[in-house]
Amino acid sequence: MSDIRDILEKYQNEKMALYGLGTETKRFLDECGPDVSVLGLLDGYLEEGEIFGYPVISVSEAVNRGVRLIIVIARPGSCKVIARRIGVFCLQNNIALYDIRGRNLLENKNTTYDFSCLNGMTKQSLQERIDSVDVVSFDLFDTLITRKVRFYTDIFELLDCRLREKGIYIPDFHRVRLYAEKELSRDHAPGLVQIYEYLLRKTGGNFITARELAEQEWDVDKSVFLARESMCDILRKTVDSGKKVVLTTDSYYSDSQIKEILERFRLTGCDDIIISSEYGASKTNGLFKILRNKYKNNNILHIGDDEVADVEMAAVHEIETYRIYSGEDLFEAMCGLEMEHNISTLSDRLKTGMFISRIFNNPFCFEKEKSVFSITNAFEAGYLLCAPIITDFVLWLKEKTDVQDYRQVLFCARDGYLVGKLFRKVSSEIISTYFLASRTAAIRSGVENERDIAYVESMKYSGTAEEALKIRFGIEACGLESTEWNKEILVKAGIQRSNYQKYIKKLCIHKGNIAMFDFVAKGTTQMYLQKLFPQHMKGFYFLQLEPEFMEDKGLDIQPFYSEEEKDTSVIFDNYYILEAVLTSPYPQIQGFDDNGNPVFAAETRSKKDVRCIERVQEGICTYFEEYLDILPEMARDKNKKLGEMFLSYITKLRITDEDFLALKVEDPFFGRMTDMKDVIR
């Protein structure tokens, strides 16, 4: 406690409060209480009463009573949560906030996008340590297994949502659940049923038993587990070597539940499992003594992420230790990648947790060349960077079409290929139709007069007029005078219009108003498609470009990003990235033959390009399905700023998938091809 002594000396004439009601607080008071002016104790749940001979007070009361220093007595991970909870309040009221190790919890750090600030032990050094001992003990959570949520307490809020969907309302459920665990943990390490028995006594009961609540929390928690594969591989290798392997972990789960986790992730073969709930003792209160007594004459190495519970407490019992970084440790080392101020809801914390659990899955990722923070494959690029904002858009589209009572949505090729598939997962009531369309096909069938042609010509083509005639209208200039071009365009348009309508008749289009999806567009495709449909068509776009250009066209368009939002966001700088990957694996539609069958352009992408795009989309689909599976509908929130943050990392992190970097953003209508490398660098 040498560091905290310096802080105490600095504030020796000021009033202070302690945040935390656990045994560590009692130890601090026993050692330092007589020498400091502790006004009261703070907690996230209790705001009154007395513990350890000191009053429990609220944060606002601490301000009123002149507190100038708050010391948070908790594990490092919990300290960060508490700092987010009361940090702004402390800054506003000139209160210093430190943890028990003397770290300033209000200190601003510069965000980095590499691991140069870390000096963790390497994977090789860990293996050497394992080879040198008789018994190897592994922590479980955040070491071998991580969760796809930001904080483990998010599980309580997820469960609360599920209970509410079933009509079971327990006021302040997540706070009472955490309080119950803390209270019971004062005397022993409780099991989950015991925690819920206490909770029901505290809240007066409900239409559910403690055992049922425990089972439902277990089900929720299982849905967010993710293996830390590099660590799991180390455990498997250690088991295969014949060395004695023990699992030593704090958990309110039973021995059978822990074994179920181990079997699920192929972590079998442990010689012993020492769980706090089975022994009634936690790591900070006797669990390592049990481990030491079981293997008295052996050199033991314990591997875990928590610098207090896994390192300091194991060392007390003469157990060697090796600390690995949790995903949260690595995230914090990079100062939260500047996203902290955009995280507020349970949905935000889930999205952040899904990101952290994957991108920081490997605790040795800082060993990469030059400590560069990188994404190694197209799947991860889709999952980590593209999926969050696409998820928000699809949920927005469902919300808008539901409220406005559209019964059918046309997802226009090729941008609608993936978005339509995602939409179908959340909206079974609305007819979702994949509609073959392109700006080229719509124009070729939709131009009706010289004014239409002049409109098309106003969109400058990057090439000659003859090339534009061929690309945009499918007409060869050879043998035609330029004065004949317009006549030829209109004649061919009449044929194409008839052929397009033959295709439309095959689709069984709903007679009511139609919604159509386009990703990023002015509205040209919609303007010409509208001429093919008798019913009203409303366009729902991710982003509308140059809306002023279409003001006099009478189009009904509602973009996900309003003009005001677009002007203040980074989405305009990065949407090209999404355009390159939100596309079908099939060529662009150019028009239709006399039987209403599609006529496609020659494919310009290689098989390697298409496969890379499919991998990105697999990542987006996996993210989307996980998000829906974990988060109940009532808690699904859209947060464009957070989604933009994830997308913007594509320009800040190193992408090492060469196939991804080789992709191009194609726009044949304008005769433009943009390399992905030019977009992201």
Side-chain angles (χ1 to χ4, degrees), residues 471-485:
I471 294 296
R472 292 179 170 181
F473 297 103
I475 296 172
E476 294 284 355
C478 183
L480 288 176
E481 296 291 335
S482 59
T483 55
E484 299 177 295
W485 289 3

Side-chain angles (χ1 to χ4, degrees), residues 541-597:
Y541 298 1
F542 182 83
L543 189 68
Q544 185 182 16
L545 303 177
E546 303 176 84
E548 68 282 355
F549 197 68
M550 308 300 288
E551 284 181 351
D552 61 342
K553 302 298 188 290
L555 298 178
D556 189 0
I557 297 172
Q558 185 170 3
F560 181 50
Y561 275 91
S562 67
E563 274 299 284
E564 294 76 15
E565 290 175 315
K566 185 176 70 175
D567 291 341
T568 58
S569 79
V570 298
I571 197 64
F572 198 76
D573 298 326
N574 295 309
Y575 76 84
Y576 268 112
I577 298 161
L578 297 176
E579 279 198 315
V581 298
L582 292 184
T583 184
S584 83
Y586 308 105
Q588 184 191 54
I589 184 73
Q590 287 190 321
F592 297 85
D593 65 18
D594 293 341
N595 295 314
N597 297 319

Side-chain angles (χ1 to χ4, degrees), residues 8 14-20 25 28-29 36-42 54-55 57-59 61-63 66-73 95-98:
L8 294 176
E14 303 284 358
K15 296 177 181 177
M16 62 179 287
L18 307 181
Y19 198 115
T25 299
F28 176 89
L29 289 168
V36 295
S37 177
V38 177
L39 199 66
L41 309 180
L42 304 170
Y54 290 84
I57 61 177
S58 66
V59 178
E61 186 178 353
V63 173
V67 166
R68 285 289 167 263
L69 170 66
I70 295 176
I71 296 176
V72 180
I73 304 180
I95 297 176
L97 186 66
Y98 286 84

Side-chain angles (χ1 to χ4, degrees), residues 193-233:
V193 174
Q194 291 177 290
I195 291 171
Y196 277 114
E197 286 173 344
Y198 185 97
L199 179 146
L200 290 175
R201 290 196 301 271
K202 188 75 176 176
T203 59
N206 215 295
F207 299 124
I208 193 167
T209 67
R211 188 163 298 278
E212 288 170 334
L213 283 167
E215 288 173 356
Q216 291 201 32
E217 180 174 323
W218 168 241
D219 288 340
V220 172
D221 208 4
K222 284 192 297 184
S223 72
V224 302
F225 289 158
L226 181 69
R228 300 192 80 187
E229 284 299 341
S230 60
M231 285 304 303
C232 290
D233 286 343

Side-chain angles (χ1 to χ4, degrees), residues 416-433:
Y417 179 77
L418 176 64
V419 172
K421 288 200 294 187
L422 300 179
F423 184 83
R424 290 167 69 87
K425 295 178 185 294
V426 294
S427 184
S428 58
E429 303 296 321
I430 298 176
I431 301 170
S432 304
T433 302

Side-chain angles (χ1 to χ4, degrees), residues 328 459 498 667:
E328 181 67 18
M459 295 182 282
S498 175
D667 195 342

Side-chain angles (χ1 to χ4, degrees), residues 219-250:
D219 288 340
V220 172
D221 208 4
K222 284 192 297 184
S223 72
V224 302
F225 289 158
L226 181 69
R228 300 192 80 187
E229 284 299 341
S230 60
M231 285 304 303
C232 290
D233 286 343
I234 289 173
L235 182 141
R236 296 183 193 114
K237 182 178 178 181
T238 307
V239 169
D240 291 343
S241 72
K243 197 173 290 288
K244 195 171 289 294
V245 175
V246 180
L247 189 78
T248 308
T249 188
D250 280 341

